[in-house]
Every structure is written in C-alpha cells, then in structure tokens.
C-alpha cells in the first residue's frame, strides 16, 4: 500500500490520508533524517550538511503537520497515531539538539572568517542554532544528558494529555431542555445553533454545550440565572477535580508533573527557574524586566478596572435587582449596561457581519495594505466540508496559500490559531511556497442563514490572518528563520494584533460589513455606537489578561515546580492583587489554561501585552499617515512581514517605526490613558 505521507505534494492529500499511514511514515522519515545527518557530517559544511539536512527535516515536518492538525480539528481516530508520532518526533529533535558533532559544525561556521559576509538569513540561522543547542542540553554529560532527553519526551506527552483532557471535558458536558422558556434572552442565532446541536444527538428541543459560541451566548444573554450559574460552573471547572465529570479528566497531576519537569530542565542547564530558560529565546532581557512591565501596566489599569466594576455593580443593583454580582452575572449584566449606555448589542451587529462578507472584506483590506490578492481554489481537498483553500498572489504569481476552517464543531479543539503546513524555503527544484492553516470556532450557518459574526469574532479572524501573513509574506528562504520561524516569541503576536486595528476603522468597516439579507451597509448610528463602545470595560479586560500573565510568569519563576494546591494558592494571590470581579469557588481556570500547559506560552503569556505595545505603536504610524497609506503599508511589509526571524525583532520594529517602541499608543487605544486621568487624585 502506498503511503501519501512519504511522498507529499505541497498540499497534503487530505482526501487520501488515513490514521494507519502515520506511524510507518514518520518512522521512515526520521530514519532518513538520521541517515542524512550521518552522511552530511562526513564532509561538514553548510551546503554539504545543513542544506540537505534541512531538506530531509522539511519532509518530516510536512508529514507530521497534517497529522498534528487532524488531531486538533477532528481528534477521534487521529489521537492515538498522533501521540505515537509525537513521541518519535520529540525523541528525534531532542537527539538532534544534543548532537555534539552537529553543534561543532555550527561553532566552526560561526567562527569562520567568511561568516561575516554570509547572507543575513544564514548567519541568523547559525546564531539561533547555537543558542538552541545550548537550550537543548548539548553540553550536558552522562545522567544529566539522559535525564534532559527523557524529560523532553515526557513533557511532549504530558502537553498532549493536558489538551486531550480539556477537549474531552468540554465535549462530555451538555445541557438539554425541551422548554424554550428556560432559554429566555438567548438570541435567535444561539437558539438555532442549540436546536441544530440537539438534532445531531437525535433529541427534541435544544442542547447547550461548552463550545465557545454556545457558552458565550448563555453567559451574555440568558435571563435564566440558574442556567447561567450551571453553565459557568461547568465551564470554569473543566478538567479539574471540581468539574461535572469528577476526576475523570482531572489535569491536576499533569500540571504538577509538567511544572516539575520544566523546573528540572532549567536546573540541568544551570538556570534558576523555567522562566529564565523561556526568556532565552524572547525579546525581554530577564525575569525582572517582565515582572516590572506587568506590574507597571497593572498599576495603571487596576484603579480604572475597579471603577468599571463598581459602576457595573451599581447598575446591577439599581436596574437588574442584583444586590451582589456573582461570576455568572458579569457578562450578562455588562451586556445590559452596554445596551443602556450605548444602545448597542453585539446581536444587533451580527446581521451586518455575515461571515462571507467579512472574509471578502478582509482580503480587500490586505490587498490595499500590502498589494496582494487572495483567490479561492475549490479543487483543493480539505478535511471537512467547511474547509476552504485560498492562494495568495502578487502580480498574478502565487506566493503562498492557506486553508481556512472557520466553524465550531464537536471534537474540534476550541479557540483560534494559525499553524504551518509548509515553510518558504529554497529547494533543489525551486522555491517551496509557504502554506498555512487558519482555524476559528465561529457559529456555523444554520436554518438557511449564513454564519453571522459578532464584532469580537471579526477581530479574531483578522488576528489569525495577521499571523498567517507573517508566515506567508516572508521573503526569507532559509527554513530556520523563514516566516514565523526564529521570531522572538514575545514579538510573534505583533502582526496579528496589528491587523485587528482595521476592524475599528470606518473606512475598513465599510469593506467588511453589509446586512446579510439586503446588503445594506452598517448604519452610521450603529457604527457610531460601536466606536463609542470600543473601550467599554477595557480596563477590566486588561487586568484579566494581566492576571493570566502574572500567574503564568510567577508560576514558572518557582525553582521546583508546584503542587496543585500551591498552583491554586499562587493564582489566588495574583487575583487578590489584581482581580476586581468575583470568582466561583469551583473555578479551576489553571486546569484548562492550554496556552501554558499545552501550547507555546509557558512563561510567555505576557507576550500578548508585550506585543500589544508594539502593535499599537506600529498602527499609530498609520494613524499619522492614513490607514491605507501605501508607503506605510509597504514599510510594514518590508520591515516586519517579509523579514521573518532573520533579524532581531526590536531592530525590525525600530527600522519600521524610526525609534524604539513606546507604551503611549496602547494606553490611548485601550482608553486607559483617559481612565488614568479620571482616577488619579488632584
């Protein structure tokens, strides 16, 4: 039987991939990588060793990519083969990172007289390679070396288990009713989705789940307070000992072991804690700098956040009959206050943001900014009927492509993300184009109506497309620093958060909105209300993000990890310092914090705020020159998007902006600057 993973075209043949293809293909491709390395080291050099090794590893990466992706978007039959392949791939990369012969080659290349005249991308790839060798334990000896490798393999396994527990806990809970009165307040879009969910289970009535669209609809709109409480408690206790499934999916022991092993990895490398290890590949210089940044922003934001919450509590008491806001009341009461203050509801905006119109408008926005076109190709097979494929072209020439999987469904990982199918690189046969996955979890079209997005969901689509542009518009052709590869983790959110700004510009909103039935543009009155409400409770949102970031960073500053009880205690301490909203006793946010336990954000969640400083400051130049100014768009393209990881992120930002970043634009865009003035004495 032929194995499509062994001879992959640029676009994976999703219509032919089967779970049984995975293990034999990954095993063979890893063997090929090892053989290529052995052969290349016979005559060490860039062209004789590193270039052919990059080729072999690219085949491995492009085979593992669809396997990892299918596990995220379909799970089920792909979970076991993915986990088996993950173990093999992790072992290979750990082994490679500890190969001293290869490390010596990198050293020799960096020390050679001609190194200074090499192309920038090659030099940076060697410099980052040397750093990564050190962080992979190449200098360790004996038991320490073996222990580091074993820990790396185990950490990959635990991260996958953490994500599986969150997914399974999310899927395991449902709430069913045949009495529509219990769902009073839910908008028609949510009711239609709940009706469709019930039908998939052969049930009458309506079925609520913990998937994002369903959960948010209940918390924001359901008048049934008991229902809000039940759904909220189920959501915030997922994968914990307090969850509705008891300890079946409990992540407590998984978190403990992850933190212990991370701390041990740092200790083996001679570092004080995992946070120090994490920052070795980031812009931030040291732990103190990150904590200073977060605490400074917290000090600026918390008084305003407290003021916002006090106003919400006062409104709830006077208008909603709630003397004391509970955690499951916050979003519901906030929506009521927003409607009173601005006469605006996200549900009123939905009809003007049909998914296809937003998508078409997004493509038009980036065409104006960066001179590219996005064209659909219906002939490319996907993994589900919802999946679309697009080519990115410039001057009629294909330069990249991406898959777009926009809608929520059962057994699909929650949230939104971008990932790589293939990386732009020079091959013996020519230039390999960069291909991306873009994944969201919006409400599906139901009852003959298209998917109608909230404005928050519109910004999510722009955010992920910003990541995609960073991957797809690179002009670097060395894989290690092409696209998002090699980019400092605390700068990787710059393009994504940057692109969100156009969701708030009237000229761009006219391109992404139009009533789903009439095509009527968003009325000026609604637009004015939306813009006026932009910073509604922005300080409360900021301190919530800072709570997550401080918790994450302080957790990874611990020298020996932490028990589940100690993790909870630390989170309680951070909340005491920062939080202004009440928290349910059952809340085990940390048990579902996939960003840091199953993703790449360990000791790095602060990156969202760090990069927001960069993105706000970058956008302020467009505010000065015009939001579609072609020269400014060209500068961002050439200085940021095209450079990938070939140069330091701070140098690239400074090249674009003409100076180092300032925090002023972030405070202004979030409304905190004005709130500071309102809350400061005198």
């Amino acid at each position: 039987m032929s194995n499509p993973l062994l001879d992959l075209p640029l676009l994976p043949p999703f219509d032919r991939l089967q779970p049984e293809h995975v293990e034999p293909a990954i095993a063979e491709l890893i063997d090929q990588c090892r053989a290529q390395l052995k052969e290349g080291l016979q005559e060490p050099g860039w062209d004789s060793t590193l270039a052919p090794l990059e080729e072999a590893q690219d085949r491995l990466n492009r085979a593992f990519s669809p396997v990892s992706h299918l596990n995220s978007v379909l799970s089920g039959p792909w979970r076991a083969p993915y986990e088996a392949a993950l173990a093999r791939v992790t072992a290979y990369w750990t082994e490679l990172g500890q190969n001293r012969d290869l490390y010596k080659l990198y050293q020799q290349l960096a020390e050679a007289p001609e190194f200074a005249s090499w192309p920038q991308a090659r030099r940076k790839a060697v410099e980052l390679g040397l750093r990564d060798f050190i962080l992979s334990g190449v200098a360790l000896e004996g038991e320490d070396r073996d222990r580091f490798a074993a820990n790396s393999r185990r950490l990959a396994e635990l991260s996958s288990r953490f994500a599986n527990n969150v997914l399974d806990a999310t899927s395991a809970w449902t709430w069913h009713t045949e009495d529509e009165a219990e769902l009073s307040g839910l908008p028609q879009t949510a009711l239609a989705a709940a009706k469709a969910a019930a039908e998939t289970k052969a049930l009458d009535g309506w079925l609520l789940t913990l998937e994002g669209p369903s959960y948010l609809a209940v918390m924001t709109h359901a008048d049934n307070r008991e229902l809000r409480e039940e759904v909220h408690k189920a959501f915030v206790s997922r994968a914990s000992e307090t969850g509705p499934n008891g300890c079946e999916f409990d992540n407590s022991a998984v978190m403990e072991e992850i933190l212990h092993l991370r701390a041990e990895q740092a200790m083996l490398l001679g570092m004080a804690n995992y946070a120090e290890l994490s920052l070795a590949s980031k812009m931030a210089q040291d732990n103190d700098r990150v904590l200073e940044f977060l605490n400074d922003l917290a000090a600026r934001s918390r008084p305003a956040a407290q003021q916002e919450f006090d106003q919400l509590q006062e409104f709830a008491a006077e208008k909603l009959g709630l003397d004391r806001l509970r955690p499951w009341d916050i979003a519901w009461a906030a929506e009521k206050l927003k409607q009173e203050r601005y006469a605006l509801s996200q549900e009123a905006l939905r009809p003007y943001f049909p998914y296809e119109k937003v998508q078409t408008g997004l493509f038009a926005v980036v065409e104006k900014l960066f001179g590219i076109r996005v064209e659909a190709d219906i002939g490319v097979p996907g993994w589900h009927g919802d999946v679309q494929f697009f080519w990115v072209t410039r001057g009629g020439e294909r330069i990249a492509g991406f898959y777009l999987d926009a809608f929520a469904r059962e057994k699909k990982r929650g949230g939104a993300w971008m990932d790589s199918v293939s990386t732009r690189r020079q091959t013996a046969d020519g230039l390999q184009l960069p291909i991306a996955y873009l994944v969201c979890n919006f409400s599906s079209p139901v009852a003959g109506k298209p998917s109608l997005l909230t404005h928050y969901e519109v910004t999510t689509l722009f955010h992920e497309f910003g990541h995609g542009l960073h991957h797809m518009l690179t002009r670097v052709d060395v894989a290690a620093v092409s696209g998002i590869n090699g980019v400092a983790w605390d700068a990787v959110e710059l393009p994504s958060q940057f692109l969100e700004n156009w969701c708030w510009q009237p000229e761009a909103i006219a391109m992404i909105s139009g009533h789903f039935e009439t095509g009527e543009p968003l009325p000026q009155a609604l637009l004015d209300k939306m813009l006026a409400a932009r910073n509604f409770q922005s300080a409360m949102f900021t301190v919530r993000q800072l709570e997550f970031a401080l918790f994450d960073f302080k957790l990874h500053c611990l020298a020996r990890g932490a028990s589940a009880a100690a993790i909870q205690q630390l989170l309680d301490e951070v909340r005491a310092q920062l939080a202004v909203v009440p928290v349910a006793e059952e809340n085990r946010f940390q048990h579902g914090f996939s960003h840091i336990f199953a993703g790449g954000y360990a000791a790095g969640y602060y990156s969202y705020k760090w990069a927001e400083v960069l993105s706000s400051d970058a956008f302020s130049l467009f505010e000065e020159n015009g939001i579609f100014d072609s020269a400014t768009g060209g500068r961002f393209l050439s200085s940021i998007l095209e450079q990938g990881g070939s140069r330091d992120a701070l140098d690239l930002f400074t090249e674009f902006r003409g100076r180092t970043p300032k925090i002023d634009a972030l405070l202004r865009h979030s409304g905190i600057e004005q709130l500071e003035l309102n809350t400061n004495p005198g």
Side-chain angles (χ1 to χ4, degrees):
M1 179 182 69
S2 63
N3 191 325
L5 289 175
L6 286 175
D7 188 24
L8 275 177
L10 180 65
L11 303 179
F14 285 106
D15 54 341
R16 293 191 290 119
L17 294 182
Q18 297 297 326
E20 58 266 26
H21 293 143
V22 176
E23 287 195 70
I26 296 301
E28 182 170 337
L29 290 167
I30 289 174
D31 287 343
Q32 290 177 11
C33 289
R34 289 179 173 134
Q36 182 59 64
L37 176 59
K38 183 177 180 180
E39 178 183 339
L41 287 173
Q42 299 300 312
E43 189 179 340
W46 178 278
D47 292 326
S48 55
T49 309
L50 299 189
L53 181 60
E54 178 187 285
E55 179 75 30
Q57 290 176 168
D58 181 71
R59 289 195 296 272
L60 172 61
N61 289 336
R62 289 196 302 113
F64 185 63
S65 167
V67 175
S68 174
H69 181 72
L70 289 169
N71 178 60
S72 295
V73 295
L74 295 180
S75 191
W78 291 95
R79 179 178 292 184
Y82 161 73
E83 291 178 346
L86 176 64
R88 288 181 180 271
V89 170
T90 303
Y92 169 72
W93 288 112
T94 302
E95 168 192 314
L96 191 78
Q98 295 187 345
N99 188 303
R100 290 179 180 171
D101 290 333
L102 188 58
Y103 175 51
K104 288 176 184 176
L105 170 57
Y106 273 79
Q107 289 178 310
Q108 290 166 5
L109 293 174
E111 294 166 1
E114 63 272 17
F115 184 71
S117 62
W118 276 22
Q120 172 64 33
R122 283 194 182 187
R123 292 203 312 273
K124 192 64 174 180
V126 171
E127 292 166 3
L128 294 180
L130 286 169
R131 179 201 70 189
D132 292 343
F133 272 112
I134 298 300
L135 299 181
S136 297
V138 73
L140 297 176
E141 302 285 355
E143 291 184 5
D144 286 350
R145 183 184 180 88
D146 294 341
R147 184 64 184 165
F148 192 95
N151 286 354
S152 297
R153 294 191 295 269
R154 180 62 175 161
L155 280 166
E157 177 186 328
L158 289 167
S159 292
S160 180
R161 184 181 301 177
F162 185 97
N164 289 341
N165 283 341
V166 175
L167 178 62
D168 291 344
T170 301
S171 300
W173 187 93
T174 57
W175 186 91
H176 176 243
T177 184
E178 296 184 16
D179 181 2
E180 188 174 2
E182 292 193 88
L183 302 176
S184 171
L186 286 188
Q188 285 302 313
T189 53
L191 288 171
K195 172 72 75 173
E199 290 171 356
T200 64
K201 304 290 187 183
L203 296 171
D204 294 328
W206 297 264
L207 189 71
L208 301 179
T209 73
L210 297 183
E211 292 173 3
S214 178
Y215 171 73
L216 290 173
V218 172
M219 300 317 302
T220 307
H221 300 289
D223 295 326
N224 183 340
R225 196 183 193 194
E226 291 182 357
L227 173 61
R228 294 201 310 270
E229 178 179 359
E230 185 174 349
V231 174
H232 177 81
K233 287 181 176 180
F235 186 84
V236 300
S237 63
R238 288 175 303 160
S240 80
E241 82 286 1
T242 65
N245 303 98
C247 296
E248 184 178 357
F249 308 115
D250 187 6
N251 267 329
S252 297
V254 180
M255 292 188 300
E256 292 177 349
E257 190 174 356
I258 286 174
L259 292 173
H260 168 74
L261 293 177
R262 286 176 178 168
E264 186 172 21
Q265 297 295 74
M267 179 197 70
L268 288 169
L269 295 176
M271 299 180 181
N273 48 56
Y274 186 80
E276 186 178 327
L277 171 55
S278 174
L279 292 190
S281 57
K282 295 181 171 64
M283 287 176 67
Q285 299 96 326
D286 53 49
N287 292 8
D288 290 342
R289 177 71 181 91
V290 173
L291 291 170
E292 178 186 342
F293 167 73
L294 293 174
N295 285 319
D296 176 60
L297 194 51
R300 294 170 182 263
S301 308
R302 194 185 185 285
Q306 186 64 60
Q307 181 186 68
E308 289 175 350
F309 181 72
D310 291 346
Q311 292 170 351
L312 182 65
Q313 179 65 79
E314 181 180 350
F315 169 79
E318 291 181 358
K319 301 294 180 66
L320 305 177
L322 298 177
D323 292 335
R324 179 190 175 202
L325 283 175
R326 302 292 293 159
W328 42 89
D329 299 323
I330 306 299
W332 180 77
E335 180 69 9
K336 299 293 186 187
L337 175 58
K338 190 175 184 180
Q339 289 182 37
E340 176 172 279
R341 186 176 292 179
Y342 303 103
L344 178 72
S345 164
Q346 285 286 339
E347 292 305 310
L349 294 173
R350 272 191 197 268
Y352 293 95
F353 291 107
Y355 172 73
E356 289 189 3
K357 176 65 175 177
V358 175
Q359 183 194 86
T360 302
L362 165 62
F363 298 161
V365 167
V366 297
E367 180 178 357
K368 288 181 68 106
L369 283 173
F370 306 123
I372 59 173
R373 292 184 63 84
V374 180
E375 301 170 353
D377 187 340
I378 61 174
V380 176
W383 51 91
H384 187 274
D386 291 339
V387 177
Q388 299 171 284
F389 183 83
F390 300 88
W391 292 107
V392 179
T393 66
R394 180 183 284 121
E397 179 185 358
R398 289 178 178 176
I399 60 172
F402 62 95
Y403 295 88
L404 185 48
D405 185 356
F407 305 122
R409 59 179 174 268
E410 191 175 7
K411 294 298 182 181
K412 179 182 176 184
R413 196 179 97 197
W417 68 92
M418 187 282 292
D419 207 349
S420 168
V421 182
S422 63
T423 299
R424 187 183 194 269
R425 53 181 296 273
Q426 191 64 47
T427 76
D429 299 322
L431 192 67
Q432 177 173 286
L433 299 185
I435 309 293
Y437 303 112
L438 300 178
V439 184
C440 298
N441 272 279
F442 305 142
S443 296
S444 299
V446 289
K449 286 187 177 181
S451 172
L452 303 176
L453 305 187
T454 65
H455 190 256
Y456 172 79
E457 290 174 325
V458 172
T459 63
T460 297
L461 183 61
F462 272 65
H463 180 103
E464 298 309 328
F465 202 71
H467 280 308
L469 291 177
H470 203 186
H471 175 69
M472 294 187 290
L473 298 189
T474 184
R475 288 189 182 269
V476 178
D477 57 10
V478 177
V481 289
S482 176
I484 60 173
N485 292 340
V487 177
W489 197 259
D490 43 7
V492 81
E493 295 292 336
L494 164 57
S496 54
Q497 294 180 340
F498 165 80
L499 198 61
E500 288 182 34
N501 287 287
W502 273 263
C503 300
W504 297 98
Q505 304 305 308
E507 189 177 346
I509 290 171
M511 299 163 68
I512 63 175
S513 64
H515 196 280
F516 77 99
E517 291 177 322
T518 66
E520 173 195 2
L522 185 68
Q524 187 65 43
L526 265 182
L527 174 61
D528 291 342
K529 292 172 184 177
M530 189 180 90
L531 296 177
R534 176 177 182 177
N535 291 321
F536 176 68
Q537 295 186 340
S538 63
M540 284 173 60
F541 176 79
T542 295
V543 297
R544 180 173 176 267
Q545 291 299 102
L546 291 171
E547 174 189 316
F548 300 163
L550 269 172
F551 164 67
D552 161 49
F553 204 77
K554 288 186 173 184
L555 187 64
H556 287 101
C557 282
L558 300 175
R560 293 180 178 81
S563 66
I567 295 169
Q568 183 66 56
Q569 181 179 346
L570 177 61
L571 181 54
D572 291 343
E573 291 170 358
V574 171
R575 283 174 173 156
Q577 172 192 350
L578 270 178
V580 297
V581 300
V583 176
E585 182 179 347
E586 296 85 355
N587 188 298
R588 294 295 184 271
F589 162 76
Q590 63 273 27
H591 288 68
F593 199 0
S594 295
H595 276 77
I596 70 168
F597 288 113
Y601 284 87
Y605 197 83
Y606 77 89
S607 300
Y608 282 100
K609 282 300 172 188
W610 188 279
E612 202 173 340
V613 172
L614 304 179
S615 63
S616 289
D617 200 5
F619 181 69
S620 69
L621 189 59
F622 285 84
E623 291 178 310
E624 296 169 16
N625 298 338
I627 67 160
F628 284 117
D629 180 66
S630 59
T632 310
R635 281 176 61 182
F636 190 84
L637 175 65
S638 61
S639 295
I640 307 293
L641 298 178
E642 291 182 347
Q643 298 293 326
S646 65
R647 291 170 55 195
D648 288 343
L650 182 58
D651 290 344
L652 293 176
F653 179 89
T654 304
E655 177 183 290
F656 167 72
R657 197 63 180 88
R659 56 165 173 75
T660 55
K662 295 181 179 180
I663 199 172
D664 310 50
L666 170 61
L667 298 176
R668 175 167 52 84
H669 290 153
S670 62
I672 293 174
E673 179 182 64
Q674 186 61 42
L675 286 166
E676 277 190 290
L677 295 176
N678 292 340
T679 55
N680 285 340

